[in-house]
Amino acid sequence: MERATIRLTLLSFLLICVISAPTKKSRDLDIYSFHINSTVISRYAITIITSRVANRVNESREVHFQVKIPKNAFISKFRMTIEGKTYDGVVKQKEEAQQQYSEAVSRGESAGLVGSVGRTLEEFKTSVTVAALSKVTFELTYEELLKRRLGKYELQINAQPMQPVADFKIDVYINEHPGISFLEVNGGLKSQELSSAVISTLASSTKEAWVNFYPTREQQIKCEGCGENGLNGDLLIEYDVKRSNQNGELQASNGYFVHYFAPTDIQQIPKNVVFIIDRSGSMHGRKIDQTRTAMLKILGDLAEDDYFGLIIFDSEVDVWKAELLQATERNVKQAKNFVKNINDRGATDINAAVLKGVDMIKRYPREGSASILILLTDGQPTTGETKTDRIQANIKKVIGGKFPFYCLGFGFDVSFDFLEKMALENNGVARRIYEDSDADLQLEGFYKEVATPLLTDVQLNYIGAANLTQTSFRQYYNGSEIVVAGQITDNSLETFQTEVIAISKNTNVTYQDSVSTKDVIDVLPQHENFIQRLWAYLTVKQLLEKEVALKGEEKEAARKKALDLSLKYEFVTPLTSMVVTKPQEEETQVAHKPKEGMRPPKRHHSMRRKHKPSSCCAKLRLQDYSISIHSLDTSKESVPLLIGLRRPRPNTRSTSKPKLAPTSPPSVRDVRFLISAQPKPICYDAPVGHKLLLLLDNSSDFSMNGQLSEKGFKLISLHYKTEKLLISCDESVYYNGENSVKFVWGQPEPSRHESDGMSIFLRNNELDVTMGTVRIVFFLHKKAGDVFLWPVVHQQPKNANIQGILGKTDLQYEELPGSKLKIKDLEVEASRSSATDYRFPAAPSVECWLVPFQSALQGELSDFTVSQL
Ligand SMILES: *[C@@H]1O[C@H](CO)[C@@H](O)[C@H](O)[C@H]1NC(C)=O
Ligand SMILES: *[C@@H]1O[C@H](CO)[C@@H](O)[C@H](O)[C@H]1NC(C)=O
Ligand SMILES: *[C@@H]1O[C@H](CO)[C@@H](O)[C@H](O)[C@H]1NC(C)=O
Ligand SMILES: *[C@@H]1O[C@H](CO)[C@@H](O)[C@H](O)[C@H]1NC(C)=O
């Protein structure tokens, strides 16, 4: 074995960078690290984006930081760190920040603004001047309450760092007390090329889940929709929670509570639904085609005991039938023929059309049914009553709060504010339908959300609580969720009581629950402010909605309250702005939150600066963010990955389920490994004391071997061409044939080393290594006095000749009756068991199918041992 000729002890990472950087076709501004970290506790998601950029040139440069966040989220923190000094953004009342804003705008600066991009995202950008050969760290935090839609929650994470980043990663942690019923990772970023970069695990308690996404620099260029500028797309984490308690789920901490109510044990309520469809001239072409397509599908989905009506309008209002008719096969067929013949013409008389719809619903009341009015329009009222406030007043008066009114605005010619106010005043919501090839799917998707009413007139009551968010809801639909948060004012309560009164199909129903305050308070100390922030978030959101429909003093009071909370919790809302003071220039930049009503930026609209400087927008890439959500092939999830696991100690805190058949624990001479597969991972035991072949790819001249001892690996060696990396539990030494670099575990500051085709990052107890087409993260686990290493493969060559126990990634199986699995046409005995998932620092216990070593790896132990590391 060759010895290192020079030894560098761990230098500050600055020095190492400077030494090693020039070997790359170096960028003047190098984003050398980009991390996104999302923590979701009880549906409340706090996401932190950290970007580290180095100015590699001999003169100062302007460095841009530009990210996209979900529209629903509030930015709550922004920080820049330059040469050890931090500059924090400060949230101020909008008017107060207005002057700085106007000044920036008049200078033609677009920086620091939040603008809308696409359907679900808005953009935050800022820039700062960084001195020669200096660095800057940007850190942005945003928060949102995930909303349940069509039976699931969705956490959308957009990644577009603007260049390939060697040290790129997304870490997601989800903690849901009632348990997670399913977890899927989708989105454009999880394309074929990148699917192996996603690793997820669900603890056997099902209360916790982790998702990691660590694509290599090479993968970031090659993936679908990505290019020279690296990643560009979304990762969508979709999940739902278990609902064993029909009374809902209660969480509390630090004097705040949240109640999630989404019962499933009820029958659908028959509905009376009237669709009011705009056929004015502006709907001409694709819009009217798509509307017809969507309506045909929606009519086909009506339940037999639903009643429905169709109104089409331009300057004239026509009805299909004067009254509501039952959705019998015959009626639906006739209605479809009617829809097929809808053609665009004339002007837009919204007032008369909606009044007609309300009249139809009111004239045929049905006991035990839920009425819904849906308007689809793409324009302003242009004939009949054209004053929007008069229309709003008319409609509010005739509906009288009796049923919800939903407004769908098609495209950007509509006055969305008008529709939104009208919907919110009548217990509904307004939704924008984007003019695009999937507009029909957007319409259908919206309809699906309200297609199954389960309860009406829902009232939620809490004793000993105050400052409650909205507690009465006109209707509750299948697949959605009612959320109420508040402050617990009575500290002496031993039990906390929830009561929900509602009307189900023909009967009054009450859901009552009494939960011991001790049971309810069960959050980790680092998460204890989540419920309070959730409460503040929801309160502000609802006040901003309510404010739209209010007038005079009430409006002022709602605004004031929303503003005070926004300032207190440092949320960037439409009422506040974040002011960032830049270091050298002593100049400020401001971040605003745009309103949904705003038109998306267009290149040629550079004169619209007064509202929102759009000059910046020429750079934005407008694209579709949500079409892919529903059409993704989720079977891709089943790509198995090989991971290593160990069996947990018998008395770990995991609440293993009784259905787990007792399996003989592995002898102390075994270590349990795991291959992830669907529906459950496969696990097997490997005897300790051997030197194992972990990964071998002759074509790229890469190999990795490890010495397996009682807990995990004690020593791992990697060989790549002439390079070598030896990892032990104390330190790691990289040797490139001439020089060596040493990495010592547990350093507070991250350190790094990069050269052609290879990089090593050390972040505390995580050593992240890329060599050619392989990326492996090594964790140093410390558990109950044991210290050992665990490798996690995030990318490996797509090559059939990969050898080694971590190279088996194509395992698929079928579950057969009688605890048997069919693996590669062979039936094998399997037993339900569990293992510890050491791919994640938290090392959760997970469930798995235990099979013999030979069955899992399709080979004998001797095929996987080596004589020398
Ligand atoms: C993510 O952020 C949370 C909260 O700041 C922190 O506790 C956690 O360690 C971070 N996770 C990672 C992988 O950086
Ligand atoms: C950096 O700039 C200084 C001052 O302009 C100059 O003297 C020096 O040669 C430059 N160094 C390099 C490497 O360009
Ligand atoms: C509600 O949705 C769930 C899941 O999508 C479905 O299984 C259930 O049957 C629905 N309930 C009703 C009453 O339609
Ligand atoms: C439900 O309760 C309301 C008010 O308490 C009452 O007026 C109504 O008759 C009840 N309906 C049924 C079906 O019991």
Side-chain angles (χ1 to χ4, degrees):
M1 214 209 306
E2 268 189 281
R3 286 269 143 203
T5 46
I6 307 170
R7 280 208 136 187
L8 299 175
T9 39
L10 188 71
L11 297 174
S12 87
F13 74 105
L14 176 73
L15 186 49
I16 293 178
C17 289
V18 173
I19 292 168
S20 55
T23 56
K24 273 224 138 48
K25 60 166 182 128
S26 64
R27 290 173 186 263
D28 292 354
L29 294 175
D30 180 21
I31 302 176
Y32 62 94
S33 165
F34 196 92
H35 295 175
I36 302 179
N37 172 1
S38 249
T39 305
V40 186
I41 311 290
S42 275
R43 288 70 138 182
Y44 196 66
I46 299 186
T47 301
I48 305 167
I49 302 176
T50 310
S51 173
R52 297 184 167 88
V53 189
N55 177 8
R56 304 259 186 242
V57 293
N58 197 5
E59 55 193 39
S60 66
R61 282 284 163 90
E62 189 172 25
V63 178
H64 292 269
F65 173 67
Q66 189 169 342
V67 294
K68 295 190 187 114
I69 68 168
K71 278 185 184 170
N72 228 358
F74 291 150
I75 289 172
S76 58
K77 191 171 162 187
F78 176 68
R79 162 175 283 184
M80 290 188 287
T81 306
I82 302 169
E83 287 166 16
K85 267 189 89 176
T86 56
Y87 302 86
D88 281 306
V90 181
V91 173
K92 290 189 176 171
Q93 185 178 359
K94 199 163 208 160
E95 286 71 31
E96 215 182 299
Q98 191 65 40
Q99 197 174 345
Q100 286 144 338
Y101 170 66
S102 310
E103 282 169 16
V105 170
S106 66
R107 282 195 304 268
E109 283 182 12
S110 54
L113 288 161
V114 177
S116 241
V117 225
R119 297 179 192 175
T120 53
L121 294 166
E122 54 198 30
E123 179 160 272
F124 174 86
K125 58 196 271 182
T126 189
S127 68
V128 67
T129 303
V130 176
L133 303 173
S134 243
K135 292 183 177 165
V136 55
T137 299
F138 299 101
E139 188 184 297
L140 180 78
T141 304
Y142 62 86
E143 312 186 10
E144 68 195 302
L145 178 63
L146 304 180
K147 204 168 184 164
R148 187 164 184 254
R149 242 182 221 137
L150 302 174
K152 65 186 179 201
Y153 306 98
E154 188 177 278
L155 175 69
Q156 180 184 17
I157 297 176
N158 180 271
Q160 195 184 347
M162 312 305 276
Q163 55 174 259
V165 179
D167 178 19
F168 176 94
K169 59 178 201 148
I170 298 178
D171 295 290
V172 178
Y173 168 67
I174 302 172
N175 182 315
E176 290 290 349
H177 209 254
I180 295 164
S181 62
F182 79 88
L183 173 75
E184 268 177 27
V185 184
N186 288 313
L189 289 184
K190 211 205 156 202
S191 59
Q192 207 58 45
E193 187 66 38
L194 289 181
S195 62
S196 71
V198 175
I199 293 183
S200 64
T201 201
L202 181 61
S204 53
S205 70
T206 73
K207 291 180 186 206
E208 295 177 287
W210 290 261
V211 177
N212 286 352
F213 178 63
Y214 290 34
T216 56
R217 187 198 280 265
E218 183 197 50
Q219 282 174 311
Q220 293 167 41
I221 296 167
K222 282 193 185 155
C223 59
E224 224 172 281
C226 309
E228 259 175 56
N229 292 332
L231 290 177
N232 178 8
D234 294 328
L235 204 60
L236 298 171
I237 320 288
E238 300 175 327
Y239 72 96
D240 198 13
V241 303
K242 295 180 180 170
R243 290 169 211 280
S244 49
N245 184 352
Q246 295 294 323
N247 296 314
E249 174 198 340
L250 198 62
Q251 289 283 302
S253 78
N254 269 355
Y256 288 83
F257 79 92
V258 58
H259 183 212
Y260 297 97
F261 180 70
T264 52
D265 63 342
I266 9 180
Q267 279 187 305
Q268 169 171 3
I269 299 179
K271 58 186 180 295
N272 308 321
V273 56
V274 174
F275 300 96
I276 306 170
I277 298 164
D278 189 340
R279 61 163 170 200
S280 61
S282 54
M283 288 286 284
H284 178 74
R286 190 159 79 157
K287 282 198 254 181
I288 199 89
D289 288 343
Q290 289 171 323
T291 303
R292 274 195 302 258
T293 308
M295 278 313 299
L296 292 174
K297 181 82 179 37
I298 289 169
L299 289 171
D301 285 346
L302 289 171
E304 175 111 28
D305 54 0
D306 287 342
Y307 277 62
F308 71 107
L310 287 172
I311 295 175
I312 49 176
F313 72 99
D314 45 277
S315 49
E316 282 165 39
V317 178
D318 287 332
V319 295
W320 166 57
K321 291 279 149 73
E323 65 239 50
L324 298 189
L325 285 191
Q326 192 175 353
T328 59
E329 213 174 300
R330 192 160 157 265
N331 286 341
V332 167
K333 198 163 164 218
Q334 282 186 12
K336 283 184 175 175
N337 282 332
F338 176 80
V339 165
K340 283 179 194 154
N341 291 316
I342 298 177
N343 285 310
D344 57 280
R345 46 179 246 195
T348 313
D349 189 349
I350 289 178
N351 188 56
V354 179
L355 291 180
K356 180 77 198 163
V358 176
D359 179 57
M360 272 171 85
I361 286 188
K362 284 175 109 178
R363 255 192 298 151
Y364 302 94
R366 273 200 301 157
E367 268 291 301
S369 66
S371 297
I372 299 170
L373 194 58
I374 301 176
L375 167 69
L376 173 71
T377 181
D378 76 333
Q380 319 276 11
T382 55
T383 181
E385 178 60 75
T386 55
K387 290 212 175 63
T388 55
D389 51 344
R390 292 265 277 281
I391 299 175
Q392 282 158 346
N394 291 342
I395 288 163
K396 188 175 176 189
K397 188 163 150 237
V398 292
I399 292 181
K402 293 219 165 50
F403 48 82
F405 178 32
Y406 297 100
C407 298
L408 304 177
F410 206 144
F412 280 90
D413 295 327
V414 296
S415 161
F416 196 79
D417 285 346
F418 160 62
L419 294 182
E420 184 178 42
K421 182 166 181 205
M422 202 155 55
L424 290 172
E425 279 182 335
N426 295 290
N427 300 300
V429 293
R431 193 68 71 74
R432 191 187 292 290
I433 303 297
Y434 290 83
E435 278 187 74
D436 213 329
S437 56
D438 71 335
D440 50 337
L441 297 178
Q442 297 174 53
L443 287 168
E444 284 167 43
F446 168 78
Y447 170 73
K448 276 205 188 111
E449 287 179 42
V450 298
T452 320
L454 297 182
L455 295 172
T456 61
D457 303 282
V458 188
Q459 174 65 43
L460 300 99
N461 303 314
Y462 307 90
I463 294 164
N467 292 323
L468 299 169
T469 58
Q470 188 183 342
T471 53
S472 57
F473 298 83
R474 189 45 80 198
Q475 295 182 351
Y476 157 66
Y477 302 101
N478 199 19
S480 73
E481 180 175 65
I482 288 175
V483 185
V484 179
Q487 219 171 339
I488 302 174
T489 45
D490 185 348
N491 293 323
S492 64
L493 285 181
E494 299 212 328
T495 59
F496 190 76
Q497 283 171 18
T498 64
E499 181 190 59
V500 185
I501 301 168
I503 303 174
S504 158
K505 193 178 179 177
N506 284 320
T507 51
N508 286 342
V509 287
T510 307
Y511 293 86
Q512 273 170 330
D513 205 4
S514 174
V515 186
S516 155
T517 44
K518 285 195 202 82
D519 293 342
V520 122
I521 295 162
D522 185 18
V523 286
L524 296 169
Q526 66 265 39
H527 301 146
E528 66 185 7
N529 68 351
F530 267 68
I531 308 285
Q532 182 174 351
R533 294 196 73 82
L534 184 163
W535 166 82
Y537 170 95
L538 195 58
T539 305
V540 172
K541 278 263 156 182
Q542 292 180 351
L543 283 169
L544 291 172
E545 275 183 7
K546 230 165 83 182
E547 182 252 340
V548 170
L550 291 174
K551 283 201 188 76
E553 276 176 26
E554 281 181 318
K555 191 182 182 83
E556 278 316 303
R559 275 183 88 94
K560 171 92 174 47
K561 204 169 156 202
L563 172 65
D564 290 348
L565 282 174
S566 303
L567 292 173
K568 176 165 179 205
Y569 290 88
E570 305 197 304
F571 291 142
V572 178
T573 67
L575 303 178
T576 54
S577 299
M578 183 174 275
V579 178
V580 186
T581 304
K582 294 205 279 185
Q584 298 99 336
E585 299 110 278
E586 289 300 324
E587 139 197 318
T588 52
Q589 298 185 331
V590 186
H592 287 292
K593 190 171 180 68
K595 283 196 63 181
E596 172 52 45
M598 283 183 169
R599 184 178 283 270
K602 280 191 186 148
R603 278 157 204 265
H604 48 272
H605 272 229
S606 54
M607 292 317 291
R608 299 185 73 248
R609 276 196 195 160
K610 206 157 176 217
H611 291 288
K612 186 164 64 78
S614 334
S615 54
C616 59
C617 303
K619 285 192 215 138
L620 306 186
R621 282 190 222 164
L622 289 176
Q623 53 174 31
D624 272 335
Y625 286 95
S626 55
I627 318 173
S628 53
I629 298 173
H630 302 292
S631 58
L632 270 162
D633 181 4
T634 54
S635 64
K636 281 180 195 150
E637 258 287 285
S638 67
V639 177
L641 297 155
L642 196 77
I643 58 182
L645 297 168
R646 263 181 54 84
R647 192 178 167 73
R649 283 150 200 287
N651 55 353
T652 49
R653 74 194 163 85
S654 78
T655 54
S656 55
K657 294 201 197 94
K659 69 171 188 239
L660 282 180
T663 43
S664 54
S667 87
V668 279
R669 309 296 301 159
D670 286 337
V671 170
R672 185 155 291 178
F673 283 79
L674 192 141
I675 303 175
S676 83
Q678 292 296 324
K680 233 192 242 305
I682 301 276
C683 49
Y684 62 91
D685 293 329
V688 305
H690 293 274
K691 296 189 181 82
L692 293 177
L693 176 64
L694 299 179
L695 201 63
L696 171 65
D697 176 32
N698 283 320
S699 65
S700 73
D701 215 351
F702 175 89
S703 72
M704 171 166 73
N705 302 322
Q707 167 84 49
L708 194 60
S709 63
E710 272 181 31
K711 306 300 176 186
F713 293 92
K714 285 289 182 212
L715 203 57
I716 295 177
S717 73
L718 287 80
H719 298 262
Y720 175 55
K721 296 179 180 159
T722 57
E723 297 163 49
K724 186 173 160 125
L725 176 65
L726 195 63
I727 305 168
S728 79
C729 296
D730 302 318
E731 60 182 32
S732 307
V733 179
Y734 166 75
Y735 177 65
N736 68 2
E738 289 172 22
N739 303 322
S740 71
V741 185
K742 189 155 94 174
F743 296 86
V744 180
W745 291 105
Q747 302 294 316
E749 276 294 304
S751 53
R752 49 194 257 119
H753 179 83
E754 278 186 86
S755 59
D756 262 346
M758 94 84 172
S759 60
I760 301 174
F761 305 105
L762 176 68
R763 319 176 192 99
N764 198 0
N765 286 324
E766 193 180 314
L767 187 74
D768 186 340
V769 179
T770 300
M771 289 181 160
T773 51
V774 183
R775 182 175 184 181
I776 304 169
V777 175
F778 300 87
F779 286 111
L780 184 72
H781 282 287
K782 293 182 191 157
K783 259 199 151 176
D786 299 322
V787 182
F788 54 90
L789 301 164
W790 207 270
V792 186
V793 178
H794 282 269
Q795 193 202 4
Q796 52 180 292
K798 288 191 175 30
N799 171 346
N801 299 320
I802 302 288
Q803 295 168 47
I805 64 169
L806 302 185
K808 294 279 171 194
T809 58
D810 55 351
L811 194 68
Q812 286 184 9
Y813 70 87
E814 217 180 298
E815 289 178 358
L816 301 176
S819 254
K820 283 197 172 134
L821 300 184
K822 192 166 166 188
I823 304 178
K824 297 236 166 158
D825 297 324
L826 275 181
E827 278 187 27
V828 298
E829 296 284 339
S831 53
R832 283 164 186 272
S833 192
S834 65
T836 304
D837 192 342
Y838 286 117
R839 292 172 307 166
F840 297 87
S845 163
V846 303
E847 289 180 16
C848 58
W849 279 114
L850 180 62
V851 301
F853 181 96
Q854 291 80 0
S855 309
L857 292 181
Q858 323 272 303
E860 295 301 322
L861 180 62
S862 56
D863 301 337
F864 296 97
T865 52
V866 289
S867 55
Q868 222 191 332
L869 287 187

